[in-house]
Amino acid sequence: MGGVSDSSLHALPASDRTDVIARLREALLGASFTADGLLDLLGAPAYAALARSETVPALRATRGDTPLEVLVRLFLLQQPVPHARAEAVLPVAQCLETGWLVRVGQGAGDAVAATVDVRPYGGSGGEDWFIVSDLGCAVGGAGGIGSRDEGVVLGVGGASTTLANITVRTPVSAALDLGTGSGIQALHAVQHATRVTATDVNPRALRITALTLALSGAPAADLREGSLFEPVRDDETYDLIVSNPPFVISPGARLTYRDGGMGGDDLCRSLVQGAGERLNEGGFAQFLANWQHVEGEDWQDRLRSWVPRGCDAWIVQREVQDVTQYAELWLRDAGDHRGDPADYQARYDAWLDEFEARKVRAVGFGWITLRKTGSTVPSVTVEEWPHPVEQPLGDAVRAHFTRLDYLREHDDAALLAGHFRLAAEIVQEQVGLPGAEDPEHVVLRQNRGMRRATKVDTVGAGFAGVCDGTLSAGRILDAIAQLVGEDPVLLRDRTPAQIRLLVEQGFLEPA
């Protein structure tokens, strides 16, 4: 993965003029150019349309002359604004001098235009942040711009917010953001890490990350150019590693922002395998990734083989697409469907040729979380879960690994001596024919976290229902045995497996 020239893209604002950036930030906040302010101005439908790269509703909602409407047109919708109107809201002279704005129009000073997208972004603690990106890339993805400018840096998208939402947020000494892009992961990390290193193969991305951090009023990060772990020194380790890498499995590396430049899913595999030796004990590494479903191979086994030695892993497949759907998705992402039909067909063919040569039948997308552990028998969970989950999910991810530790440290005897509590917002559903005396089966369902549902037998349902931390598991089972007329010894023998599953999946918590 080599460096990318940004000569075809707009010159970037100066990131070292902190005085101008502070004044610009003050002006943006003063006009309520924030995530909440945008929603209030545009309304939910127009706001949602922006995420689909549709700007017409937002343009219609900003036909007035208020400071907020001027800023939305200028920085988010990339519309020229009359010089006099901009000057009433912004320090225009300084923004022109430092490259945030340029003059446009026939006469000198007629109008000004932004050189970068600036998108308001709300932090998890209610902070008002701003994500800087290249023109045309703050809303809804690349929209085909990548086919013209290969060094383009995207703004906030569904993948980047997903990673931010699943990341474990605890105070740490050192964090690493690999492939920082516009800097959203680094922006989150500097809030709870003493030292943050952010890397990218694209030098333009590092410059934009510096702007994102400065305009958001956040601490600076250590910005380093290079691919994967290359910029990291041999003696450097981290408590948190995050990456939304260029994970697209494609023929060649045409678009830097999405194509990894390695064959198949090798980039994601290399990233995951290389993280183990860079993690401190107890540290987390969290990635978004694509992986191949290869003919004659179990996709779960493929992913288990990626997990580095000494790490627990939780891998969740959120979506699967067949190779035609996958190729079409990324051809549209690059805008190829709007170009020459012959070029489109040739690129589509090349994609299918690549998949056919590798015997790939489908591509999976999901989350990979590693945790460095000293256990001699690490736990590796690979599952498919395409259903809605609660966001942010970081606390639920951390709790998952905490429960693994508990189960690893407690054999069946210790489990029966333990005390448990039913997790918050669990409901019980009974499924059966109308009028039947007994249900066919009972389902426990979560309304928090992963929002799982699991079948249990009548003993499991009864056990979970009375878990309030007061009695030990063994005592509860003895009481159930007496109620149902079952041998308590046999019940104690066969129930720990069900208790382990309920704990592992978060239905029961150690009291």
Side-chain angles (χ1 to χ4, degrees):
M1 298 169 66
V4 177
S5 168
D6 60 11
S7 59
S8 64
L9 295 164
H10 218 297
L12 291 172
S15 59
D16 57 351
R17 287 296 302 272
T18 54
D19 56 330
V20 177
I21 293 174
R23 284 199 62 192
L24 176 57
R25 174 174 169 78
E26 183 181 350
L28 298 178
L29 293 176
S32 297
F33 188 62
T34 63
D36 288 341
L38 274 186
L39 185 58
D40 288 342
L41 172 67
L42 302 179
Y47 190 79
L50 286 177
R52 303 191 300 270
S53 300
E54 297 292 349
T55 57
V56 172
L59 287 168
R60 290 173 61 86
T62 56
R63 289 180 292 194
D65 216 22
T66 66
L68 179 55
E69 287 170 303
V70 169
L71 292 176
V72 172
R73 287 200 301 272
L74 185 64
F75 284 116
L76 197 58
L77 302 177
Q78 288 86 60
Q79 300 296 304
V81 168
H83 188 284
R85 284 302 305 130
E87 204 164 36
V89 184
L90 297 169
V92 169
Q94 289 178 308
C95 287
L96 286 168
E97 175 196 351
T98 56
W100 288 94
L101 300 175
V102 292
R103 298 180 188 275
V104 295
Q106 298 299 317
D110 264 359
V112 295
T115 60
V116 289
D117 278 347
V118 176
R119 175 171 174 171
Y121 177 74
S124 54
E127 304 92 344
D128 289 315
W129 294 337
F130 301 98
I131 308 298
V132 179
S133 63
D134 274 314
L135 292 174
C137 294
V139 292
I145 192 172
S147 60
R148 304 192 305 273
D149 298 304
E150 296 182 9
V152 70
V153 178
L154 301 193
V156 181
S160 53
T161 53
T162 293
L163 179 58
N165 279 329
I166 67 171
T167 299
V168 174
R169 303 291 175 195
T170 54
V172 295
S173 296
L176 173 64
D177 175 17
L178 284 177
T180 188
S182 59
I184 178 175
Q185 310 306 329
L187 179 57
H188 278 279
V190 295
Q191 311 302 317
H192 63 100
T194 304
R195 174 174 61 89
V196 174
T197 302
T199 72
D200 205 288
V201 71
N202 184 357
R204 186 176 181 86
L206 298 177
R207 295 171 60 194
I208 284 182
T209 291
L211 294 172
T212 290
L213 294 173
L215 191 59
S216 297
D222 179 5
L223 305 177
R224 303 182 192 177
E225 182 181 347
S227 177
L228 299 179
F229 293 99
E230 288 173 4
V232 179
R233 296 194 303 270
D234 289 343
D235 61 344
E236 289 181 307
T237 54
Y238 299 89
D239 307 297
L240 175 66
I241 299 173
V242 293
S243 184
N244 175 21
F247 52 66
V248 176
I249 300 170
S250 62
R254 186 161 63 108
L255 305 179
T256 304
Y257 69 86
R258 69 171 205 193
D259 299 328
M262 296 186 185
D265 52 17
D266 282 354
L267 182 133
C268 292
R269 177 186 54 77
S270 298
L271 189 61
V272 174
Q273 290 180 337
E277 61 185 5
R278 300 296 183 181
L279 279 177
N280 293 324
E281 195 75 17
F284 286 91
Q286 298 187 261
F287 314 103
L288 299 186
N290 275 179
W291 43 79
Q292 298 173 150
H293 285 231
V294 179
E295 184 178 340
E297 178 185 76
D298 186 313
W299 67 270
Q300 294 184 328
D301 289 343
R302 182 183 190 84
L303 290 172
R304 288 188 185 95
S305 73
W306 291 9
V307 178
R309 185 186 305 273
C311 288
D312 288 338
W314 184 19
I315 301 172
V316 182
Q317 180 167 272
R318 296 287 289 161
E319 184 179 359
V320 183
Q321 292 183 316
D322 67 46
V323 291
T324 60
Q325 293 173 312
Y326 189 80
E328 290 161 14
L329 169 68
W330 295 110
L331 286 166
R332 287 194 301 271
D333 171 81
D336 292 326
H337 63 304
R338 297 196 294 266
D340 185 301
D343 288 344
Y344 177 83
Q345 182 174 340
R347 286 191 172 129
Y348 200 147
D349 267 334
W351 226 302
L352 296 185
D353 285 345
E354 179 86 1
F355 284 135
E356 188 174 333
R358 296 178 178 277
K359 298 183 178 180
V360 176
R361 295 293 175 258
V363 177
F365 167 81
W367 319 323
I368 298 177
T369 299
L370 307 177
R371 193 214 22 192
K372 192 69 170 287
T373 175
S375 173
T376 55
V377 185
S379 169
V380 176
T381 301
V382 183
E383 62 176 320
E384 186 164 16
W385 190 254
H387 311 293
V389 300
E390 180 187 33
Q391 294 285 19
L393 199 65
D395 287 346
V397 173
R398 183 180 59 193
H400 168 86
F401 288 94
T402 299
R403 293 193 300 270
L404 288 184
D405 286 340
Y406 176 88
L407 293 173
R408 192 154 38 206
E409 294 162 3
H410 290 72
D411 60 16
D412 286 356
L415 203 65
L416 291 173
H419 294 241
F420 299 94
R421 182 182 297 111
L422 191 66
E425 297 189 41
I426 303 291
V427 297
Q428 176 179 304
E429 301 172 358
Q430 295 187 347
V431 181
L433 293 173
E437 186 175 342
D438 296 312
E440 292 180 16
H441 59 264
V442 177
V443 174
L444 299 181
R445 189 178 301 277
Q446 301 168 346
N447 285 315
R448 304 296 306 274
M450 290 292 285
R451 294 179 173 153
R452 296 185 187 277
T454 188
K455 284 184 184 180
V456 290
D457 59 19
T458 53
V459 171
F463 179 85
V466 297
C467 278
D468 60 3
T470 306
L471 299 174
S472 70
R475 291 280 303 278
I476 293 173
L477 289 178
D478 289 344
I480 291 175
Q482 189 171 359
L483 282 173
V484 299
E486 189 168 339
D487 185 333
V489 175
L490 294 177
L491 193 60
R492 280 175 173 254
D493 283 344
R494 69 176 176 86
T495 307
Q498 190 170 188
I499 297 174
R500 284 187 182 279
L501 181 65
L502 292 174
V503 172
E504 181 182 345
Q505 294 191 342
F507 291 91
L508 294 178
E509 299 170 347

